[in-house]
Amino acid sequence: MTGRVLVCTRLGGPEDLELADVATPSPGPGEVVVAVSHVGLNFHDTLIIAGTHVVQPEPPFTPGSEYAGTVLAVGEGVTSVRPGDRVAGNEEYGCARDAVLVRADRVTVLPGHVTDRDAAAILVTYSTAYHALVQRAGLRAGETLAVLGAAGGVGSAAVDVGNLLGARVIAGASTPERAEPARRYGAHETFSYADPVDAKTAIKELTGGAGADVVFDPVGGPVAEAAVRAVAWGGRYLVIGFASGGIPRVGLNIPLVKGSSVVGVFWGEFVRRERAVHERNLRQIFDWAAAGRLRHRVHDVLPLEQGPRALRELADGRVRGKLLLRAGGPAG
């Protein structure tokens, strides 16, 4: 039995990826094989294939960090899932394929009312946002949350989660046209930052000069210092990632005089180190999804063979919401 797999044979752009046929793997002790129906793509996939992400596998490897599908086979000693179970999971990379071999303790059985499509669309972005806002920032109801990069997958998820947690959410993007759709995710106000200093000015104006209690920043680059300066006294600035391509250097005098915190959010390492907490987070997110409370948007679902096109759209900033690939497994 064989399946298709998207392969990065050399570091570079999405156009360098290739589609190959490989044998369907067999599970060893403690492992499961999942027939993948949907693969969720994220901006960091474009960084991994370019060799500019903190995780830097050696080619050849497969991109794609989240998936949903149906268990095909289980290895010796596996009792948590069985063949036929619908599951979702995430890895650092390796998921853009028809069948994935993973450890059994890294998959989560899906509730009946959460589809594979929805699970693949929300697992990484919503889990990242929830972990950042709950475990790292301790966001409280009534606080003000400013989200940068709100047009992207993790940014729009942060808007949605922040609203569900009872925060007043102000959402920003590089242009007014990109920022405005954040209102459908629950943003109370939107702003744009064509120039980095605009972010500070807008956040200050929308908070009556006080600044935001929490700033969620997946953008980095020049806008980061302006955002740190827009944090309120005792506030928290969350380092999510660097979609702009630039790693900022922010003077530590800024958090000193604000009594504020600069907080790193390394979701992948959190999942490895605190699996039980991650599972509780997922249960909350899937409960919200099953109850119809999430406002996530799927930008498009493309066939697996169009993975290079999909990643090019992500790299060029043309995606609004979540971009998925449809693999060969049965869709639940």
Side-chain angles (χ1 to χ4, degrees), residues 238-313:
L238 296 172
V239 184
I240 308 299
F242 314 107
S244 69
I247 298 178
R249 288 174 171 80
V250 177
L252 293 180
N253 61 308
I254 304 173
L256 185 153
V257 300
K258 288 178 168 286
S260 60
S261 304
V262 176
V263 184
V265 181
F266 191 173
W267 178 76
E269 191 64 19
F270 157 72
V271 171
R272 282 190 292 274
R273 291 175 179 267
E274 301 182 52
R275 186 73 195 185
V277 181
H278 169 62
E279 289 289 343
R280 288 200 299 271
N281 291 354
L282 278 182
R283 284 196 292 275
Q284 175 62 81
I285 292 165
F286 287 148
D287 284 349
W288 278 336
R293 299 188 66 191
L294 297 188
R295 311 183 195 195
H296 61 288
R297 173 189 177 189
V298 173
H299 175 85
D300 202 355
V301 182
L302 298 173
L304 184 65
E305 59 268 24
Q306 291 191 32
R309 170 191 159 189
L311 287 168
R312 171 50 60 197
E313 289 189 16

Side-chain angles (χ1 to χ4, degrees), residues 93-281:
Y93 54 90
C95 301
R97 56 200 310 144
D98 285 332
V100 64
L101 174 68
V102 295
R103 290 197 340 241
D105 61 3
R106 291 187 59 83
V107 302
T108 299
V109 177
L110 294 175
H113 297 299
V114 177
T115 67
D116 289 9
R117 182 180 184 269
D118 282 344
I122 65 180
L123 196 149
V124 168
T125 52
Y126 275 78
S127 292
T128 299
Y130 190 91
H131 166 57
L133 297 177
V134 174
Q135 280 91 39
R136 302 303 289 147
L139 181 69
R140 297 180 291 272
E143 289 192 310
T144 298
L145 167 66
V147 178
L148 305 182
V154 72
S156 57
V159 172
D160 202 1
V161 171
N163 184 63
L164 286 167
L165 293 173
R168 174 177 178 254
V169 184
I170 56 177
S174 56
T175 67
E177 292 75 23
R178 288 176 61 82
E180 185 61 25
R183 291 186 185 274
R184 73 166 60 101
Y185 294 96
H188 299 83
E189 304 284 351
T190 63
F191 65 94
S192 61
Y193 43 87
D195 186 276
V197 74
D198 293 343
K200 175 189 173 183
T201 302
I203 293 171
K204 287 284 194 176
E205 288 179 350
L206 291 170
T207 57
D213 297 298
V214 175
V215 172
F216 183 98
D217 183 8
V219 178
V223 75
E225 181 173 344
V228 171
R229 291 183 181 276
V231 173
W233 170 258
R236 292 83 78 199
Y237 169 84
L238 296 172
V239 184
I240 308 299
F242 314 107
S244 69
I247 298 178
R249 288 174 171 80
V250 177
L252 293 180
N253 61 308
I254 304 173
L256 185 153
V257 300
K258 288 178 168 286
S260 60
S261 304
V262 176
V263 184
V265 181
F266 191 173
W267 178 76
E269 191 64 19
F270 157 72
V271 171
R272 282 190 292 274
R273 291 175 179 267
E274 301 182 52
R275 186 73 195 185
V277 181
H278 169 62
E279 289 289 343
R280 288 200 299 271
N281 291 354

